[in-house]
Amino acid sequence: MKLIKLEQPSCHPCQLVSNYLKEKEIEFEAIDVTQRPEIAAEYGVMGVPVTILLDERGTEAKRSIGFKPDELDELIFKMENY
């Protein structure tokens, strides 16, 4: 399983999500949607931050929109217990 986070550099909630995941020592790939708009379009992302858990085939398993620690914890739990 892989965690990706779609973000913008100037987005405060995006920074909160990154800090939260780093504090939990969770590896994730941060994707700047201003540099990679095609990825935002691929996942249907209209606003950031969006954190997406991908399964081993790269298919979306679950997502969290915004900075919601409870939802992020669900993603982490699912990722660690897959």
Side-chain angles (χ1 to χ4, degrees):
M1 310 260 321
K2 177 181 178 179
L3 203 60
I4 62 172
K5 182 173 74 77
L6 288 85
E7 62 179 14
Q8 289 180 321
S10 61
C11 167
H12 181 67
C14 298
Q15 294 166 3
L16 292 174
V17 172
S18 289
N19 291 339
Y20 188 81
L21 295 173
K22 288 175 185 174
E23 286 174 14
K24 300 256 182 193
E25 299 180 353
I26 301 300
E27 289 187 31
F28 64 96
E29 179 183 353
I31 300 168
D32 181 347
V33 298
T34 60
Q35 299 293 320
R36 304 285 310 273
E38 73 279 4
I39 297 200
E42 177 182 341
Y43 290 103
V45 171
M46 303 299 287
V48 291
V50 174
T51 308
I52 301 173
L53 181 61
L54 303 174
D55 66 16
E56 64 280 347
R57 295 174 308 232
T59 303
E60 182 175 332
K62 191 163 181 62
R63 79 170 48 195
S64 173
I65 300 170
F67 176 60
K68 298 177 186 155
D70 291 343
E71 288 183 9
L72 292 170
D73 287 342
E74 287 179 34
L75 291 177
I76 293 166
F77 180 81
K78 190 167 187 169
M79 184 173 76
E80 291 178 337
N81 294 286
Y82 181 75

